[in-house]
Amino acid sequence: MKKTKLFAALLAGALLSGGPSAMACTNILVTKGASKTGSTMISYSADSHTLYGELYYRPAADYPAGTMMKVYEWDSGKLLGEIPQAAHTYSVVGNMNEHQLLIGESTWGGLHQLVDTTGIIDYGSLMYIALQRCRTAREAVEFMTKLVAEYGYASSGESISVADPNEVWVLEIIGKGTKIVDGKNVNKGAVWVARRIPDGMISAHANQARITTFPLNDPENCIYSPDVISFAREAGLYTGKDKDFDFAAVYNPFDYSGMRGCEGRVWSVFRQVTDRMDKYLDHVTGRNPKNRLPLWVKPNHKLTVKDLAEFMRNHYEGTELDMTCDPGAGAFKLPYRWRPMTFKVGDEEFFNERAIATQQTGWWYVGECRGWLPDPIGGVLWFGVDDAAGSPLTPFYCGIDRIPNAYAVGNGNMTTYSETSMFWVVNRVTNFAYQRYNIIQPDVKRAMDRFENRCFAEQPAVDGAAEMLYKQNPKLAIDFLTDYSVNTAQRLFDTWVALDRYLLVKYIDGNVKKEDAEGVFTDNGQGRGIPAMPDFPGYSEEWKAMVKEATGDRLKVVEATGKK
């Protein structure tokens, strides 16, 4: 997700370099016909080593004529400039507005010479300004592309996911570089292509441009900047026919990291919903750039919010890329690799696998847009903070007018611990689990499933009650949904505080205490708070074999002879 915009060249190498810009995001896009309920859905992980997990909330507002809006770069907080403020802005909760418009992104960098150093609209501002001013996905695509044409695009290459209750689009955009003539950048703006995902299909992107060739005369389903091809010709990037123009190949050509670290994550989703995806293994392992994945696939079953959540928790389990199956997983099958993304042994360089679920996630969501319900009820942002594999989702209806303190902006930050912050308590749990993952993580997963499954079970009743109130007075429904969203999130926070304490007591010092029931620890029979002798699970067989191989006879137990 968030990347400091220095130069696109840095971004292009960030996945492999392991430097301060080494971060990445994953989006999954689901159309109405591909979902079990008929909703559209987008999932998004905002992955960054410096991004704090909090839920942005922007209430609707009215502004007098002539008001200007300051534009700050999302990544750095740097003031880029200002633009005229809209007369009215919509309420936005996270990345969903009150009209069920939902937006996500992933950065791919692209060609370094296309960075516009004069633009004032960065990709983060682009998303959140669109959410405040647009009602539909198509309107948002058109608005965002017009905005950067007028004020300049301050970021590198992006894939942007956009959904409303009826349509799902992917927009890919990159600047045109900096060419100053008479004090102005004559290359201001961006080149871009946007494609509507066909109904019944799903798509995904993960820091690699994915739109290849595209229809040139299908404005209902594909729109693009008038100069997307001609600019490439003028810049010496393309010489072929218009019909053969490949956006991704021209503006974001593959390298090893693009296939292994980016397309691999898309493959990990597609392989779970459709057959014969192993034919792309040579591509996603970085060996064959020509055997690229399709932009979308038809799933073999209808998908739910829970399905998308589990896709976002993936570590390539059950594949040849399974992160628990090599020595890097350590003694406790850890499916994470600490940065940097590559390491050297002698003159040879090796890759630390990068799955969808990753330790540096700031926040993530699965959003669902349901057109058969009034907007304040139909849009639900299932929101989590920190690593998706250890972070439970809680529902926030898009019409709410306040958010809980545990998720509020300003309650802690990446350098300030807050005991009332959901981000920090989730990090306490996940970072504890990382130490003995295959032993502790099952308890974390059980707690996540228990909470989420209760919320999914409650949803029909909550929707129904809100609908009845909405018919009487929409404000009553909004008040009800606000209370439900805030109280449910607070219940989750309290549950996770208790989980943090429970895990410490149960797993202290490498032991595993015996339990009569969950959280009720077996004592030694004397009733004085002394536990029964705990279990000592030790290390995996694979780890013990590796230690034996590495140490030879140094640790071997031998019979004492008594000789001096």
Coordinates of all heavy atoms in Angstrom, one line a residue, residues 28-30 41-43 202 303-313 364-367 393:
I28 N -8.7 -8.1 -3.9 CA -9.5 -9.1 -4.6 C -10.8 -8.4 -4.9 O -11.4 -7.7 -4.0 CB -9.8 -10.3 -3.7 CG1 -8.4 -10.9 -3.2 CG2 -10.6 -11.3 -4.4 CD1 -8.6 -12.0 -2.1
L29 N -11.3 -8.5 -6.1 CA -12.5 -7.9 -6.6 C -13.5 -8.9 -7.0 O -13.2 -9.8 -7.8 CB -12.2 -7.0 -7.8 CG -11.1 -5.9 -7.6 CD1 -9.7 -6.4 -7.8 CD2 -11.3 -4.8 -8.7
V30 N -14.7 -8.8 -6.5 CA -15.8 -9.8 -6.7 C -17.0 -9.1 -7.3 O -17.5 -8.2 -6.7 CB -16.1 -10.6 -5.4 CG1 -17.2 -11.6 -5.7 CG2 -14.9 -11.3 -4.9
M41 N -18.0 -7.1 -3.9 CA -17.0 -7.1 -2.8 C -15.6 -6.7 -3.3 O -15.2 -7.0 -4.4 CB -17.0 -8.4 -2.1 CG -18.2 -8.9 -1.4 SD -18.1 -10.4 -0.5 CE -18.1 -11.6 -1.9
I42 N -14.9 -6.0 -2.4 CA -13.5 -5.8 -2.6 C -12.8 -6.0 -1.3 O -13.3 -5.7 -0.2 CB -13.2 -4.3 -3.0 CG1 -13.7 -4.0 -4.4 CG2 -11.7 -4.0 -2.9 CD1 -13.5 -2.5 -4.8
S43 N -11.7 -6.7 -1.3 CA -10.8 -6.8 -0.1 C -9.5 -6.1 -0.4 O -9.1 -5.9 -1.5 CB -10.5 -8.3 0.2 OG -9.7 -8.9 -0.8
I202 N -14.2 -12.8 -10.9 CA -13.4 -12.2 -9.9 C -12.1 -11.8 -10.5 O -11.6 -12.4 -11.4 CB -13.2 -13.0 -8.6 CG1 -12.2 -14.1 -8.9 CG2 -14.6 -13.6 -8.2 CD1 -11.7 -14.8 -7.6
L303 N -18.9 -16.8 -3.8 CA -18.0 -16.4 -2.7 C -18.7 -15.6 -1.6 O -19.6 -14.8 -1.9 CB -16.8 -15.6 -3.2 CG -16.0 -16.3 -4.3 CD1 -14.8 -15.5 -4.8 CD2 -15.4 -17.6 -3.7
T304 N -18.2 -15.7 -0.4 CA -18.8 -14.9 0.8 C -17.7 -14.0 1.3 O -16.5 -14.1 1.0 CB -19.2 -15.9 1.9 OG1 -18.1 -16.6 2.4 CG2 -20.2 -16.9 1.3
V305 N -18.1 -13.1 2.2 CA -17.1 -12.3 3.0 C -16.1 -13.2 3.7 O -14.9 -12.9 3.6 CB -17.9 -11.4 4.0 CG1 -16.9 -10.7 4.9 CG2 -18.7 -10.3 3.2
K306 N -16.6 -14.2 4.3 CA -15.6 -15.1 5.0 C -14.6 -15.7 4.0 O -13.4 -15.9 4.4 CB -16.4 -16.2 5.7 CG -15.5 -17.1 6.6 CD -14.9 -16.4 7.7 CE -14.2 -17.4 8.7 NZ -13.5 -16.7 9.8
D307 N -15.1 -16.1 2.8 CA -14.1 -16.6 1.8 C -13.0 -15.6 1.5 O -11.8 -16.0 1.5 CB -14.9 -17.0 0.5 CG -15.8 -18.2 0.6 OD1 -15.5 -19.1 1.5 OD2 -16.8 -18.2 -0.1
L308 N -13.4 -14.4 1.3 CA -12.4 -13.4 1.0 C -11.5 -13.1 2.1 O -10.2 -13.0 2.0 CB -13.1 -12.0 0.5 CG -13.2 -11.8 -1.0 CD1 -14.1 -12.8 -1.6 CD2 -13.6 -10.4 -1.3
A309 N -12.0 -13.2 3.3 CA -11.2 -13.0 4.5 C -10.1 -14.1 4.6 O -8.9 -13.8 4.9 CB -12.0 -13.0 5.8
E310 N -10.5 -15.3 4.3 CA -9.6 -16.4 4.3 C -8.6 -16.3 3.2 O -7.4 -16.7 3.4 CB -10.3 -17.8 4.3 CG -11.2 -18.0 5.6 CD -10.4 -17.9 6.9 OE1 -9.3 -18.4 7.0 OE2 -10.9 -17.2 7.8
F311 N -9.0 -15.9 2.0 CA -8.0 -15.6 1.0 C -6.9 -14.6 1.4 O -5.8 -14.8 1.1 CB -8.7 -15.1 -0.3 CG -9.7 -16.1 -0.9 CD1 -10.6 -15.6 -1.8 CD2 -9.6 -17.4 -0.7 CE1 -11.5 -16.4 -2.4 CE2 -10.5 -18.3 -1.3 CZ -11.5 -17.8 -2.2
M312 N -7.4 -13.6 2.1 CA -6.4 -12.6 2.6 C -5.5 -13.1 3.7 O -4.5 -12.5 4.0 CB -7.2 -11.4 3.1 CG -8.0 -10.7 2.0 SD -7.1 -10.0 0.6 CE -6.3 -8.6 1.4
R313 N -5.8 -14.3 4.2 CA -5.0 -14.9 5.3 C -4.1 -15.9 4.8 O -3.4 -16.7 5.5 CB -5.9 -15.4 6.4 CG -6.6 -14.3 7.2 CD -7.8 -14.9 8.0 NE -8.3 -13.8 8.8 CZ -9.6 -13.7 9.3 NH1 -10.5 -14.6 8.9 NH2 -10.0 -12.7 10.0
W364 N -6.7 -3.7 7.1 CA -7.2 -4.4 6.0 C -8.8 -4.4 6.1 O -9.3 -4.2 7.1 CB -6.6 -5.8 5.8 CG -7.0 -6.7 6.9 CD1 -6.7 -6.7 8.2 CD2 -7.8 -7.9 6.7 NE1 -7.2 -7.8 8.9 CE2 -7.9 -8.6 8.0 CE3 -8.4 -8.5 5.6 CZ2 -8.6 -9.7 8.2 CZ3 -9.1 -9.7 5.8 CH2 -9.2 -10.3 7.1
Y365 N -9.4 -4.8 5.0 CA -10.9 -4.9 5.0 C -11.4 -5.8 4.0 O -10.7 -6.2 3.0 CB -11.5 -3.5 4.8 CG -11.4 -2.9 3.5 CD1 -12.1 -3.4 2.4 CD2 -10.6 -1.7 3.3 CE1 -12.0 -2.8 1.1 CE2 -10.6 -1.1 2.0 CZ -11.2 -1.6 1.0 OH -11.1 -1.0 -0.3
V366 N -12.6 -6.3 4.2 CA -13.4 -6.9 3.1 C -14.7 -6.0 3.1 O -15.4 -6.0 4.1 CB -13.8 -8.3 3.4 CG1 -14.7 -8.9 2.3 CG2 -12.5 -9.2 3.5
G367 N -15.0 -5.3 2.0 CA -16.1 -4.5 1.9 C -17.2 -5.2 1.1 O -16.9 -5.8 0.0
L393 N -12.0 -9.5 11.8 CA -12.8 -8.5 11.2 C -14.0 -8.2 12.0 O -14.6 -9.1 12.6 CB -13.2 -8.9 9.8 CG -12.1 -9.1 8.7 CD1 -12.7 -9.7 7.5 CD2 -11.4 -7.8 8.4

